Amino acid sequence: MFSGKKKLGNKLSISKIFGRKEQNPIRIADKNIHQWKYTTCGYCSTGCSIEVGLNEEGKAVASRGNANADVNRGKLCIKGIFEHELFDASGRGDKPLMRKAPYDAWQESGWDSTLDHMGSEIQRIQETYGKDSFAIVSTGQLLTEEFYTLGKLARGCIGSNNYDGNTTLCMASAVSGYKRSFGSDGPPGCYDDFEHTECLMAWGSNLPEQHPIIYWRLKEALEKRKFPVIVIDPRVTMFAQFADIHLAITPGTDLALMNSLMYVILDEGLEDRDYINAHTNGIEEVEACVKDYDPITASKICGISEDSIRQVARLYAKAGSAMSIWTMGINQSTHGSDGVVGINSINLITGNIGKPGGTSLSITGQCNAMGTREWSSCSGLPGYRMLEKPEQRKEIADFWGIDEEFFPKKRGLAQTDIFPAIEAGEIKGLWLVATNPMTSMPNTARIRKILEKLDFLVIQDAYADVETTQYAHMFLPAAVWAEKEGCFTNTERRYNIVRKVQEPKGDSKSDFWIFNELSKRFPNGKKIHFPDTVEGAFNEMRELSNGPGRTLNISGMTHQKIEDSCGIQWPYTTEDAQRDEDAANKADEDLIATGSGAVKVARAVKGAQRLYTTGKFQTPDGKANLIPLPFVNNNEVPCTEFPFWMNSGRVVEHFHTRTRTGKMGNMNKYSPTPYMEMNPDAAADQNIKHGSYVRIVSRRGDAVVMVQLTQRVARNSVFIPFHFHDCVNRVCLGLLDPHSRQPAFKQGSIRIEEVDQTLAAQLNVERRTY
Ligand code: SF4
């Protein structure tokens, strides 16, 4: 019998135990890397600096994390590790295509004739049905300079007010909540806050899976210094498993819990009264509102025991500094914007904004969700300017050289309202840029019918096989990720740069080039200057960002400085840049004076880590708003006919609608099959076996999924990853938040039915083939 430490150290013995005859050490294949090129990961909003390894033929063959980058410090998650594979992933478009109707065959067409036709069709539709009858929906995937250029084209040349981004599906509630509380968008905190906080509360965020490197930063901080981590989520997520306290809240009842936490804090005198008096308005209204949410009452709504509510409120309020993070569990709700305001209010009344370890940090979604918020002009004008403010309309009109009357006086429809407007016949033409509503929008059966009504649908995407292309009249092939250059902004307001690693595939072009070329087809395109280079567009943004009181100030940045620093956080002003330059020169002079022979080298610079450090906000009187938030339960809740809560979310190996991750062998093999987590006891009730297929049915539609039995979900709940086509978004409700217009993807109800196993397996195989 095997025993004793002596034999454990003997490799030969271990080989024998496991039945191996020969030693077979792991070898890492030599990929003959000739050059490493700096760039930034193009998946999530963490913003990891990445290096792509090229072989002698210039082919991308490896990826690795950049060790000098403060964000990821050499680490990458699984998506970043395989990112070089996406250059050769299947389904890329490499030629512009046109057809008269979606049932016709595609015809290849040159760029000139395609863009001529696009320009004339847009103008024909606008002349026939009105300026706003042509809509544009973009994305969080483009580079920031591309967003700025698209905004110039959409607002300055095309002039439709129905222009929005798919960030309405993920970040709109965070934007809306920040604006309502602080007077402006822009996450006030940063990853460094983990190093200082004494209590972290995560609302509807599964950080280890959605943002693995941010989670690693949190773990690093926890290894140095223990502080409590509280996770609020209906599901026992990976994050919940690692938390000190998990509050398994009833779906969609966050506001009741937030109000109750504030009740305890105010009732027990744990608030920061000095901060409230000096820096906020509205405390009386909030105090009056939360009186209805004592822990006993709230516990009956949100399913968290009164003791837990009191314990968490005390823990958070008594911490020297405390921070909250959140993602889609808050944003994708009928009251997502209120949820964000509630989180901000808890932090305001405890004095936890703008100090190290005390913040409200929205963890954003796509790699450049922040870039579109800042510069795309989707909901306003560039640099967080608003259409509703005449002086800001004039400022931009003058800068671009057009008549200010060309701009609408308030923002138009959000993405989620554009589709119903197509349904109602008010919008006749649509241009989708790097977004795939046939998979990403709620109630996809309705979206399918809506797309079929369009006179003219243009898809601009790196992938010709995105599901929405089936309904298109025109396809514009775009370069992907590091086939082009420009900036991304990450969750902590950090600009980082994507450098070009490879040439665009075939005849595909950068989105920047496409926007510039299309602008020439419009009268205002001849008045507005569209710089030929991405850096030229960046310089315009720098200029527009400069000015007194502007938090989004990037005037001190350059592309080169961003790369040298592996990212710079805004604000970073010309004065900051001058100060850093002077300090660097002084250091050089000192070195030379010591006779060390040092030469001037590139130096990393830092921007501002935090916003609102002085307690001055972007509101007219500089004070933050405390807003009362009565909870109205408008969720679709389980009933006899549809007895299960249906929850959806992302898994680590997927990214948006799987246009990339679904094609890459090494990524796709981890989660290739549409599946559903189900509680084993609930499954036993219906005689459902692990690994079998079932049909899920809601009031909207149905879908077929494979069952995975797990205690992660409660007996009356299921969880389904949301990136599979023809899956969970066929059944979800998608009620819209009144402030942000973001859909409630997560709080719906379904029933589970048997399905023919052979047919379901056949369907599964078909769906796995791109
Ligand atoms: S954590 Fe996000 S940014 Fe970092 S490597 Fe993974 S997907 Fe890319």
Side-chain angles (χ1 to χ4, degrees), residues 40-50 71-72 75-81 83 210-214 650 655:
T40 303
C41 178
Y43 286 114
C44 87
S45 68
T46 302
C48 297
S49 292
I50 186 169
V71 167
N72 53 313
K75 301 261 187 303
L76 292 176
C77 83
I78 186 169
K79 289 189 284 293
I81 287 167
E83 201 156 1
Q210 319 309 353
H211 301 87
I213 301 300
I214 303 182
R650 188 147 66 80
F655 206 70

Side-chain angles (χ1 to χ4, degrees), residues 513-767:
W513 182 92
I514 297 170
F515 301 146
N516 269 2
E517 289 299 310
L518 186 62
S519 73
K520 295 174 186 164
R521 274 76 181 175
F522 292 85
N524 273 3
K526 297 177 179 65
K527 294 183 192 163
I528 303 177
H529 173 59
F530 282 79
D532 291 335
T533 64
V534 170
E535 205 144 8
F538 186 75
N539 286 336
E540 283 195 9
M541 291 157 46
R542 288 174 63 201
E543 206 176 326
L544 280 173
S545 78
N546 205 4
R550 301 201 70 79
T551 50
L552 170 52
N553 190 325
I554 58 167
S555 58
M557 299 184 194
T558 63
H559 276 185
Q560 193 56 50
K561 263 187 209 164
I562 293 170
E563 179 176 341
D564 292 343
S565 309
C566 297
I568 304 173
Q569 286 169 281
W570 62 256
Y572 187 71
T573 64
T574 44
E575 292 77 27
D576 295 330
Q578 191 58 56
R579 181 203 60 214
D580 288 338
E581 186 69 26
D582 291 345
N585 289 339
K586 171 87 172 50
D588 283 333
E589 282 164 18
D590 291 349
L591 278 172
I592 292 163
T594 60
S596 66
V599 289
K600 196 168 175 176
V601 292
R603 285 165 201 269
V605 296
K606 284 181 188 247
Q609 288 186 301
R610 297 175 185 87
L611 300 181
Y612 313 129
T613 50
T614 60
K616 188 166 175 353
F617 294 87
Q618 297 278 300
T619 51
D621 68 356
K623 290 189 173 188
N625 299 312
L626 289 168
I627 301 168
L629 305 165
F631 172 63
V632 177
N633 195 350
N634 57 351
N635 298 306
E636 182 184 62
V637 298
C639 59
T640 320
E641 198 183 348
F642 301 100
F644 290 91
W645 281 109
M646 193 210 67
N647 184 7
S648 67
R650 188 147 66 80
V651 290
V652 65
E653 54 275 353
H654 286 179
F655 206 70
H656 290 181
T657 77
R658 296 169 72 241
T659 50
R660 285 175 280 173
T661 54
K663 314 270 185 53
M664 288 150 60
N666 273 327
M667 290 299 306
N668 188 39
K669 68 187 175 194
Y670 295 108
S671 252
T673 296
Y675 69 89
M676 173 179 83
E677 291 182 357
M678 186 178 187
N679 184 284
D681 298 331
D685 291 345
Q686 287 191 237
N687 200 23
I688 292 168
K689 300 276 179 299
H690 181 76
S692 65
Y693 297 96
V694 293
R695 176 173 176 248
I696 55 169
V697 184
S698 77
R699 291 178 177 87
R700 272 76 52 197
D702 65 351
V704 174
V705 289
M706 182 187 274
V707 171
Q708 279 196 6
L709 298 185
T710 171
Q711 299 284 356
R712 277 179 156 207
V713 288
R715 196 172 178 143
N716 66 344
S717 297
V718 299
F719 171 85
I720 303 171
F722 61 27
H723 293 292
F724 292 109
H725 177 59
D726 261 348
C727 190
V728 71
N729 286 345
R730 286 167 62 99
V731 299
C732 78
L733 175 57
L735 262 185
L736 300 181
D737 178 284
H739 297 278
S740 67
R741 312 306 289 158
Q742 182 157 350
F745 281 100
K746 290 170 177 292
Q747 303 94 29
S749 58
I750 59 159
R751 66 170 178 263
I752 299 167
E753 296 180 352
E754 283 178 20
V755 71
D756 182 292
Q757 296 298 298
T758 310
L759 286 177
Q762 201 179 315
L763 180 67
N764 181 18
V765 171
E766 283 167 18
R767 290 156 96 189

Side-chain angles (χ1 to χ4, degrees), residues 141-151 367-368 370-376 485-490 495-496 512 534 537-538 541 554:
Q141 302 286 320
L142 304 186
L143 301 157
T144 308
E145 296 84 345
E146 294 178 332
F147 281 132
Y148 171 66
T149 308
L150 173 59
C367 52
N368 207 15
M370 280 294 294
T372 187
R373 283 153 69 169
E374 294 163 5
W375 290 103
S376 73
E485 288 206 353
C487 293
F488 288 157
T489 312
N490 79 348
Y495 273 58
N496 208 345
F512 183 77
V534 170
F538 186 75
M541 291 157 46
I554 58 167

Side-chain angles (χ1 to χ4, degrees), residues 256-271:
L257 177 59
M258 290 171 193
N259 280 333
S260 196
L261 293 173
M262 286 193 272
Y263 174 98
V264 175
I265 292 167
L266 293 166
D267 188 52
E268 299 188 5
L270 302 175
E271 75 276 17

